[in-house]
Amino acid sequence: MIEFDHVHKAFGDHVVIEDLSLRVADGEFFVLVGPSGSGKSTLLRTVNRLTHIDRGRVLVDGKDVATQPIETLRRGIGYAIQSVGLFPHRTVAENIATVPRLLGWSKRDIDARVAELIDLLKLDEPGMAERYPDTLSGGQAQRVGVARALAARPKIVLMDEPFGALDPLTRESLQASVKAIQRDTGTAMLFVTHDMDEAFLLGDRVGLMLDGRLAQVGTPLELIRSPADDRVNEFVGGTRAYLRELAVRNVRDSVRRDEHAEGEPIPAQSTLQEALGAMLAQRRDRLPVEGGGAILLTDIVARPR
């Protein structure tokens, strides 16, 4: 668990984080979202002490990070950033192995973990493990950065706008990979983004930061349906918020088991947004759902109360 207890941080006269308290549970994917300068990246960096706070406490598993040896603290926390920061003179495999090697893992265990992550993050081109960072595409380099953050099986991974510089297709692929890995491993993720769609796609809960404070914390649906004030409503989309709601609700929650439909079936785990797109592509107002039943256009456009 990560706990921020009345955290305050200022740079000179500029307050970046103001008396902020928050708990991130074990195994939770928590996303901090907000505009540039809202304090979200600064808050994330207090966890591994890349930024030191002026007042309050930051705790990991109940221990104040300020009291822990900094090398021990950082080796137990995965960290991935937009600029990646791969070591240029180390191969992909050597970059991924950095923290396990520092922790004294055996060569056999390191090699097995590197191979596992190369597979999980779809870095499976022939010879990938022996390549150097300057031979990688932006998406490949970012995947290696994520693999390095996960290599030592940390209980916590910090991710600071890791996909911001990627093209949309690569970004979507990496988002799906990271979400699947987090779900399968139960790793606690603290993820920073300025993109509300990314926040709602990935987060179990989302914290909207404005002017160094948490304007609202909740599930994506809670922020969309019950914004705390006008500013939150504006950031989640205002009158367009319902379109974002379609991206966070699943077909399985609206499937009609006793209905039948013609057309190409869609997976039950698809979002309603994906179902609407499939209906438009197939020019149908209902579609069959894999595993039985159907989804109707009227169920998509009728917002539940």
XYZ file of all heavy atoms in Angstrom, residues 254-297:
329
model
N -24.458 -5.553 -20.266
C -25.687 -5.160 -20.966
C -26.211 -6.232 -21.902
O -27.208 -6.014 -22.596
C -25.433 -3.870 -21.773
O -25.072 -2.802 -20.936
N -25.553 -7.400 -21.946
C -25.964 -8.447 -22.879
C -27.342 -8.998 -22.491
O -27.662 -9.156 -21.310
C -24.908 -9.581 -22.928
C -24.789 -10.273 -21.586
C -25.239 -10.587 -24.018
N -28.154 -9.262 -23.509
C -29.465 -9.887 -23.301
C -29.342 -11.357 -23.675
O -29.226 -11.706 -24.852
C -30.521 -9.199 -24.159
C -30.725 -7.740 -23.811
C -32.003 -7.217 -24.404
N -32.206 -5.812 -24.129
C -33.379 -5.191 -24.249
N -34.449 -5.886 -24.648
N -33.487 -3.906 -24.001
N -29.379 -12.192 -22.679
C -29.128 -13.621 -22.888
C -30.219 -14.301 -23.715
O -29.960 -15.317 -24.370
C -28.976 -14.326 -21.532
C -27.776 -13.884 -20.728
C -26.483 -14.236 -21.416
N -25.308 -13.726 -20.711
C -24.073 -13.799 -21.181
N -23.857 -14.343 -22.370
N -23.064 -13.307 -20.496
N -31.419 -13.744 -23.682
C -32.531 -14.382 -24.386
C -32.727 -13.829 -25.793
O -33.685 -14.176 -26.482
C -33.828 -14.236 -23.587
C -34.161 -12.772 -23.303
O -33.258 -11.912 -23.485
O -35.293 -12.489 -22.902
N -31.811 -12.951 -26.235
C -31.928 -12.357 -27.561
C -30.964 -13.026 -28.541
O -29.925 -13.564 -28.144
C -31.622 -10.859 -27.517
C -32.634 -10.038 -26.739
C -33.889 -9.759 -27.552
O -33.906 -10.061 -28.763
O -34.854 -9.229 -26.965
N -31.324 -12.954 -29.824
C -30.451 -13.481 -30.877
C -30.262 -12.391 -31.928
O -31.095 -11.508 -32.093
C -31.064 -14.728 -31.511
C -31.269 -15.853 -30.537
N -30.261 -16.706 -30.158
C -32.379 -16.243 -29.849
C -30.731 -17.579 -29.288
N -32.024 -17.331 -29.081
N -29.126 -12.474 -32.625
C -28.846 -11.466 -33.650
C -27.954 -12.067 -34.716
O -27.234 -13.048 -34.486
C -28.167 -10.250 -33.018
N -28.015 -11.481 -35.883
C -27.134 -11.867 -36.983
C -25.897 -10.953 -36.974
O -25.918 -9.864 -36.403
C -27.864 -11.718 -38.325
C -29.116 -12.579 -38.447
C -28.799 -14.063 -38.417
O -27.725 -14.448 -38.926
O -29.627 -14.834 -37.884
N -24.845 -11.432 -37.635
C -23.653 -10.611 -37.752
C -22.448 -11.237 -37.088
O -22.506 -12.353 -36.558
N -21.327 -10.511 -37.119
C -20.082 -10.984 -36.521
C -20.150 -10.821 -35.006
O -20.349 -9.716 -34.487
C -18.907 -10.162 -37.069
C -17.546 -10.604 -36.592
C -17.116 -11.939 -37.157
O -17.609 -12.312 -38.241
O -16.295 -12.614 -36.512
N -19.984 -11.910 -34.241
C -20.081 -11.797 -32.785
C -18.967 -10.925 -32.209
O -17.862 -10.849 -32.743
C -19.948 -13.248 -32.302
C -20.249 -14.086 -33.493
C -19.782 -13.308 -34.680
N -19.267 -10.275 -31.101
C -18.248 -9.486 -30.412
C -17.997 -10.103 -29.038
O -18.894 -10.697 -28.426
C -18.670 -8.014 -30.270
C -19.989 -7.887 -29.490
C -18.794 -7.351 -31.629
C -20.335 -6.450 -29.170
N -16.766 -9.983 -28.520
C -16.454 -10.537 -27.195
C -17.232 -9.832 -26.092
O -17.483 -8.623 -26.171
C -14.943 -10.281 -27.058
C -14.443 -10.071 -28.455
C -15.572 -9.420 -29.185
N -17.574 -10.575 -25.069
C -18.336 -10.000 -23.956
C -17.533 -8.947 -23.204
O -18.104 -8.059 -22.577
C -18.780 -11.100 -23.003
N -16.181 -9.033 -23.264
C -15.353 -8.061 -22.557
C -15.158 -6.764 -23.336
O -14.508 -5.832 -22.865
C -13.990 -8.650 -22.197
C -13.089 -8.977 -23.381
C -13.264 -10.413 -23.855
O -14.332 -11.001 -23.641
N -12.227 -10.973 -24.452
N -15.713 -6.692 -24.548
C -15.625 -5.456 -25.331
C -16.332 -4.323 -24.598
O -17.268 -4.538 -23.829
C -16.282 -5.642 -26.700
O -15.659 -6.653 -27.448
N -15.881 -3.105 -24.861
C -16.583 -1.953 -24.301
C -17.819 -1.639 -25.142
O -17.933 -2.071 -26.295
C -15.683 -0.712 -24.277
O -15.389 -0.315 -25.625
C -14.390 -1.000 -23.531
N -18.725 -0.874 -24.562
C -19.888 -0.444 -25.336
C -19.472 0.449 -26.501
O -20.131 0.459 -27.541
C -20.875 0.296 -24.434
C -21.558 -0.539 -23.340
C -22.637 0.291 -22.649
C -22.141 -1.829 -23.896
N -18.381 1.177 -26.340
C -17.865 1.978 -27.444
C -17.449 1.080 -28.608
O -17.756 1.371 -29.777
C -16.674 2.808 -26.967
C -16.130 3.777 -28.005
C -14.925 4.523 -27.476
O -13.831 3.978 -27.360
N -15.126 5.794 -27.124
N -16.769 -0.008 -28.304
C -16.366 -0.946 -29.344
C -17.594 -1.609 -29.976
O -17.628 -1.834 -31.191
C -15.418 -1.998 -28.761
C -14.055 -1.426 -28.384
C -13.215 -2.379 -27.554
O -13.795 -3.231 -26.841
O -11.976 -2.273 -27.595
N -18.593 -1.917 -29.160
C -19.825 -2.516 -29.689
C -20.535 -1.555 -30.630
O -21.032 -1.959 -31.700
C -20.749 -2.913 -28.536
N -20.593 -0.275 -30.268
C -21.221 0.723 -31.128
C -20.469 0.841 -32.452
O -21.079 0.904 -33.528
C -21.263 2.066 -30.417
C -21.876 3.234 -31.204
C -23.316 2.927 -31.599
C -21.806 4.521 -30.386
N -19.138 0.825 -32.383
C -18.343 0.879 -33.605
C -18.591 -0.316 -34.495
O -18.696 -0.182 -35.727
N -18.713 -1.501 -33.884
C -18.976 -2.709 -34.665
C -20.359 -2.661 -35.316
O -20.538 -3.094 -36.465
C -18.849 -3.940 -33.765
N -21.327 -2.124 -34.591
C -22.671 -1.991 -35.173
C -22.658 -1.051 -36.375
O -23.272 -1.338 -37.411
C -23.652 -1.482 -34.121
C -24.034 -2.495 -33.079
S -25.202 -1.796 -31.873
C -25.311 -3.159 -30.700
N -21.963 0.065 -36.248
C -21.885 1.011 -37.360
C -21.175 0.376 -38.552
O -21.602 0.544 -39.704
C -21.143 2.279 -36.915
C -21.885 3.161 -35.902
C -20.960 4.268 -35.395
C -23.140 3.762 -36.520
N -20.094 -0.376 -38.267
C -19.344 -1.009 -39.354
C -20.175 -2.062 -40.064
O -20.096 -2.220 -41.293
C -18.061 -1.625 -38.803
N -20.997 -2.805 -39.286
C -21.811 -3.867 -39.874
C -23.221 -3.393 -40.266
O -24.010 -4.177 -40.785
C -21.923 -5.039 -38.894
C -20.585 -5.688 -38.560
C -20.751 -6.909 -37.669
O -21.627 -7.756 -37.902
N -19.916 -7.027 -36.649
N -23.497 -2.133 -39.987
C -24.804 -1.545 -40.300
C -25.947 -2.351 -39.686
O -26.916 -2.722 -40.351
C -24.979 -1.408 -41.807
C -23.941 -0.484 -42.445
C -24.232 -0.183 -43.876
N -23.262 0.757 -44.428
C -23.336 1.288 -45.650
N -24.357 0.967 -46.444
N -22.416 2.121 -46.071
N -25.816 -2.602 -38.389
C -26.835 -3.353 -37.645
C -27.150 -2.612 -36.353
O -26.317 -1.852 -35.841
C -26.340 -4.769 -37.321
C -26.054 -5.620 -38.559
C -25.504 -6.991 -38.172
N -25.154 -7.785 -39.338
C -25.995 -8.510 -40.040
N -27.277 -8.567 -39.687
N -25.579 -9.204 -41.092
N -28.348 -2.857 -35.828
C -28.704 -2.245 -34.557
C -28.664 -3.256 -33.406
O -29.100 -2.968 -32.300
C -30.075 -1.582 -34.616
C -31.197 -2.563 -34.933
O -30.920 -3.777 -35.028
O -32.358 -2.107 -35.081
N -28.142 -4.428 -33.686
C -27.899 -5.446 -32.657
C -26.833 -6.395 -33.175
O -26.704 -6.598 -34.382
C -29.174 -6.207 -32.293
C -29.816 -6.955 -33.468
C -31.025 -7.752 -33.006
N -32.051 -6.907 -32.420
C -32.991 -7.358 -31.590
N -33.027 -8.634 -31.268
N -33.898 -6.541 -31.120
N -26.088 -6.995 -32.233
C -25.037 -7.933 -32.617
C -25.021 -9.103 -31.643
O -25.310 -8.944 -30.443
C -23.656 -7.255 -32.594
C -23.317 -6.292 -33.729
C -21.962 -5.663 -33.475
C -23.341 -7.001 -35.078
N -24.657 -10.295 -32.140
C -24.494 -11.429 -31.234
C -23.252 -11.234 -30.367
O -22.290 -10.567 -30.771
C -24.321 -12.618 -32.185
C -23.790 -12.025 -33.452
C -24.395 -10.660 -33.551
N -23.290 -11.804 -29.180
C -22.175 -11.722 -28.230
C -21.588 -13.112 -28.058
O -22.336 -14.105 -27.917
C -22.641 -11.167 -26.869
C -21.495 -11.157 -25.868
C -23.216 -9.763 -27.041
N -20.275 -13.208 -28.101
C -19.614 -14.499 -27.910
C -20.045 -15.097 -26.573
O -20.064 -14.416 -25.552
C -18.096 -14.326 -27.948
C -17.556 -13.951 -29.316
C -16.048 -13.771 -29.313
O -15.426 -13.962 -28.240
O -15.489 -13.428 -30.376
N -20.406 -16.360 -26.583
C -20.871 -17.028 -25.376
C -22.379 -17.026 -25.226
O -22.916 -17.659 -24.311
N -23.086 -16.304 -26.138
C -24.540 -16.323 -26.110
C -25.159 -14.967 -25.855
O -24.584 -14.112 -25.193
N -26.340 -14.773 -26.416
C -27.065 -13.533 -26.238
C -26.703 -12.493 -27.279
O -25.998 -12.768 -28.256
N -27.208 -11.287 -27.070
C -26.993 -10.206 -28.027
C -26.934 -8.876 -27.296
O -27.419 -8.739 -26.165
C -28.107 -10.190 -29.073
N -26.324 -7.896 -27.940
C -26.295 -6.530 -27.448
C -27.080 -5.669 -28.427
O -26.907 -5.794 -29.646
C -24.852 -6.023 -27.272
C -24.822 -4.569 -26.787
C -24.053 -6.142 -28.559
C -25.120 -4.418 -25.338
N -27.965 -4.812 -27.912
C -28.830 -3.988 -28.744
C -28.387 -2.530 -28.696
O -27.895 -2.056 -27.662
C -30.279 -4.077 -28.279
C -31.095 -5.317 -28.702
C -30.489 -6.603 -28.188
C -32.538 -5.153 -28.236
N -28.571 -1.835 -29.796
C -28.235 -0.407 -29.836
C -28.990 0.360 -28.760
O -28.432 1.271 -28.128
C -28.570 0.154 -31.222
C -28.322 1.666 -31.425
C -26.847 2.011 -31.222
C -28.793 2.100 -32.799
